[in-house]
Amino acid sequence: MKHEFSKLLMMLACLSLICIASIPIVGAADPAGHSIRMVQATPDQVDKINHLWGSDITIGDYMEQVHPEQLAGVSDEVIKEMHQRKMHWPEDNGVTPKTVQPDSTLATLTVHGDLTIYTNHIYFSSYSSCTQSASYIYVESFLKNAADSTVGSTSGSTSGSYVSAYNNVAWPAAGYYHVHSWGYTITPSTEGSDHSASKYFAG
């Protein structure tokens, strides 16, 4: 009886994590007080990410197809620039791409991501930090398995110089996982990405 009760508690905890991970979080704030829109991707959004990964599209195409909620209230000028800039996908699982700065040598964007392994879930997060305040700053954290397939994602956007996002994936399949982080700013325009080290989830 005691064993079944413990098992029930564990199942309820896992269901809670899954429910929380599927709810967009809007209205957090960065250190400067800017409102951050954070979205923890749904399974449908994760499927779209895997479908689009590596394709020849613009940042605007990606945002509209995968994260239209991140464009709510964004000016037409910012969205226009998104459609003028191509997505820069990572070359492979083990290479950290160099920072890309499309039209600005005055600002530098630092992007970082990491993951923490727990008994029943993986917590992962990313942040982007710019040396100048931007009209739009974005970061996305992709939790990827050993096959380089995305199993979870979280994104954040705001104005200013810093943005972060986090998420949990409950009970993924056993294996190695890493985080690919990607971020960009608009006005000034910079872009960057980062790969975390791989860590093993026992399942």
Side-chain angles (χ1 to χ4, degrees), residues 7 10 28 49 51 61 75-76 78 81 93 111 138 142 149 177 179 188 193-194 196 202:
K7 190 175 179 181
M10 181 66 76
I49 290 167
H51 176 72
D61 295 332
S75 70
D76 291 342
V78 168
E81 182 173 331
N93 191 8
V111 180
Y138 179 86
F142 306 92
S149 180
Y177 292 86
V179 170
S193 59
D194 176 57
S196 74

Side-chain angles (χ1 to χ4, degrees), residues 75-194:
S75 70
D76 291 342
E77 290 78 13
V78 168
I79 294 175
K80 181 180 178 181
E81 182 173 331
M82 289 179 185
H83 280 287
Q84 293 172 345
R85 290 168 56 181
K86 291 185 68 172
M87 283 286 294
H88 292 99
W89 308 98
E91 293 180 5
D92 61 56
N93 191 8
V95 175
T96 301
K98 295 180 180 179
T99 298
V100 179
Q101 296 183 322
D103 58 17
S104 174
T105 58
L106 301 177
T108 301
L109 186 69
T110 299
V111 180
H112 178 75
D114 202 4
L115 70 158
T116 304
I117 302 293
Y118 293 95
T119 304
N120 60 353
H121 70 282
I122 300 176
Y123 171 86
F124 61 104
S125 62
S126 294
Y127 73 80
S128 288
S129 178
C130 190
T131 54
Q132 291 185 24
S133 182
S135 61
Y136 187 87
I137 181 169
Y138 179 86
V139 71
E140 186 159 2
S141 184
F142 306 92
L143 181 65
K144 290 181 159 286
N145 60 22
D148 212 33
S149 180
T150 299
V151 299
S153 170
T154 180
S155 59
S157 65
T158 188
S159 58
S161 59
Y162 179 87
V163 66
S164 62
Y166 61 85
N167 200 354
N168 294 280
V169 170
W171 293 115
Y176 284 94
Y177 292 86
H178 68 278
V179 170
H180 175 71
S181 306
W182 169 64
Y184 64 91
T185 63
I186 290 179
T187 316
S189 296
T190 62
E191 191 173 338
S193 59
D194 176 57

